[in-house]
Amino acid sequence: MKILIIGPSWVGDMVMSQSLYTTLKQQYPEATIDVIAPNWCKPILQRMPEIKQAIDMPIGHGELNLKVRRKLGIELRCKGYDKAYILPNSAKSALIPWFANIPKRVGWKGEMRYGLINDLRTNKKAFQYMVERYVALAYPEQEMVNSESLGGLHTLPRPCLTIDKTVQQATLRKFNLSIDSKVLGLCPGAEFGPAKKWPETHYAEVATAMSKVNKQVWLFGSQKDLETCNNIRALAPAELRHNIHVLAGKTSLIEAVDLLGACQTVVANDSGLMHVAAAVGCNVVAVYGSTSPKYTPPLANKVEIVHTEIDCRPCFKRECEFKHLKCLTELSAMVVLERIQKLETITVSSC
């Protein structure tokens, strides 16, 4: 069995898609699985043992570029794939497997892709969680009728990214970091927009409290999050800043994976790094503002989900239409600190 996956376009979704790959390998132990992925999240696939090859998607997100899709599909014909699974919902995402003449092409009903997908699933709303929707594709449609038929979220294989200890040690040396004392990771960014971002002042309170008990605090994110992370560190008392390290914009994605794997607990907004932290075995405190954990919760062994009960959430908007962001500002740092303490009194095993 040779399988091609058209992977998701975002880091968090790519992490969650590993549950499908694990399920496929359970069904077909000798199968080879290749995944087409955009360059920015393709490195995640290096840490999924189920994947044989990560194939670069040479087209930007949202771009049609029919000529390039056709060329890549024709090039893949020689691979002799038996099945393709198309995880994005767009019609254009189904073109490459069609051009590649892959005989069975599986995916959910989306943008006008009748014919492009010849095993079209139509009951997506019968599955609450995104990870359930991914895993359901591995089974015949008549067997996977709803969430109950999968056995519940707790029965599904969870994402589990491998940590290369040699590379991890080299990365620690590169950034002059030590794990002699326990580490709290903070992921204060969110690509989606400000309605997902817990305030810098609240993150700074957490960083300060943890530094006072001699914990290291590592701040993760992309280049876009560098200013936010620098602000959080600057808000902490000067005498404690030696315990607070800004890594945003400095690490590659794989380096961030390995460094998150060295953290005991991670506090994160609803973001891609939240899912990475869950998949490397961290305790996770997940902060939700405008979004909801009822669709894409962190699949950690030990997780605490925090949010306010304000009437207007979840609104799933990028920016607060009322301009007050109370769903985030009214969620105090004390609540998060209490959840950190709760998680760290429990011994947990990694995935």
Side-chain angles (χ1 to χ4, degrees):
M1 177 72 71
K2 298 189 71 175
I3 298 170
L4 178 69
I5 310 283
I6 306 300
S9 296
W10 305 109
V11 169
D13 295 353
M14 185 64 79
V15 171
M16 287 184 286
S17 72
Q18 188 182 15
S19 296
L20 168 62
Y21 315 148
T22 304
T23 303
L24 289 170
K25 288 294 281 186
Q26 289 171 350
Q27 294 176 345
Y28 311 105
E30 302 303 318
T32 60
I33 303 175
D34 296 340
V35 181
I36 296 179
N39 187 59
W40 58 83
C41 62
K42 193 175 75 169
I44 288 288
L45 297 169
Q46 298 173 23
R47 298 306 178 84
M48 296 184 183
E50 302 84 3
I51 304 307
K52 181 180 180 183
Q53 182 182 7
I55 302 170
D56 186 47
M57 171 63 84
I59 305 163
H61 179 63
E63 184 181 352
L64 174 59
N65 204 329
L66 189 61
K67 182 178 179 181
V68 172
R69 290 179 192 273
R70 182 176 182 273
K71 180 175 182 291
L72 179 56
I74 291 171
E75 289 173 354
L76 292 174
R77 288 178 184 177
C78 65
K79 298 273 192 177
Y81 291 112
D82 302 290
K83 279 187 178 182
Y85 294 86
I86 298 91
L87 302 190
N89 291 320
S90 64
K92 57 184 172 289
S93 64
L95 286 167
I96 292 173
W98 185 69
F99 284 129
N101 291 340
I102 298 172
K104 189 165 187 179
R105 305 178 297 278
V106 186
W108 290 107
K109 181 181 177 181
E111 294 178 350
M112 293 303 295
R113 45 197 201 169
Y114 296 98
L116 295 176
I117 294 177
N118 55 14
D119 184 353
L120 191 68
R121 309 299 176 83
T122 58
N123 61 327
K124 181 188 288 188
K125 291 185 179 180
F127 301 92
Q128 177 177 334
Y129 298 103
M130 177 180 282
V131 68
E132 291 180 321
R133 296 175 181 183
Y134 287 154
V135 171
L137 294 176
Y139 296 91
E141 185 170 13
Q142 62 271 23
E143 293 181 21
M144 294 294 103
V145 294
N146 53 35
S147 293
E148 289 183 7
S149 65
L150 283 173
L153 185 64
H154 66 284
T155 67
L156 300 182
R158 294 187 174 189
C160 187
L161 302 177
T162 59
I163 297 296
D164 186 319
K165 294 295 184 181
T166 302
V167 175
Q168 185 186 59
Q169 288 298 319
T171 305
L172 289 166
R173 290 192 296 271
K174 176 179 176 179
F175 293 102
N176 197 27
L177 298 170
S178 169
I179 51 175
D180 292 338
S181 58
K182 291 180 179 179
V183 183
L184 174 75
L186 300 180
C187 303
E191 194 71 25
F192 181 76
K196 272 190 177 184
K197 294 179 69 174
W198 201 41
E200 295 172 4
T201 52
H202 294 12
Y203 271 109
E205 286 185 58
V206 172
T208 297
M210 293 293 97
S211 297
K212 284 181 177 178
V213 295
N214 294 319
K215 271 209 172 189
Q216 296 183 71
V217 178
W218 298 351
L219 289 150
F220 293 90
S222 68
Q223 185 67 38
K224 294 178 182 178
D225 305 314
L226 179 58
E227 181 179 359
T228 293
C229 292
N230 282 335
N231 290 343
I232 291 167
R233 185 175 187 273
L235 287 166
E239 66 272 16
L240 297 175
R241 291 177 197 159
H242 66 282
N243 281 333
I244 303 173
H245 303 273
V246 174
L247 300 170
K250 300 175 183 178
T251 67
S252 67
L253 180 55
I254 282 300
E255 288 171 337
V257 170
D258 283 325
L259 293 178
L260 282 165
C263 297
Q264 181 184 19
T265 302
V266 171
V267 179
N269 301 328
D270 178 15
S271 64
L273 288 180
M274 176 190 76
H275 292 287
V276 171
V280 295
C282 299
N283 303 330
V284 176
V285 180
V287 179
Y288 281 81
S290 68
T291 56
S292 169
K294 292 182 179 179
Y295 179 47
T296 55
L299 301 173
N301 287 328
K302 292 297 178 181
V303 61
E304 290 288 325
I305 293 171
V306 294
H307 56 76
T308 58
E309 298 296 340
I310 188 170
D311 289 342
C312 57
R313 73 158 300 278
C315 66
F316 298 99
K317 294 184 178 178
R318 293 177 181 270
E319 298 189 18
C320 177
E321 63 178 318
F322 302 113
K323 310 299 182 187
H324 56 52
L325 280 173
K326 288 184 179 180
C327 65
L328 292 164
T329 59
E330 293 185 355
L331 180 63
S332 72
M334 184 56 66
V335 170
V336 169
L337 287 166
E338 289 171 353
R339 300 303 179 90
I340 293 171
Q341 184 178 16
K342 179 181 176 182
L343 286 169
E344 294 187 355
T345 59
I346 302 171
T347 301
V348 296
S349 59
S350 68
C351 59

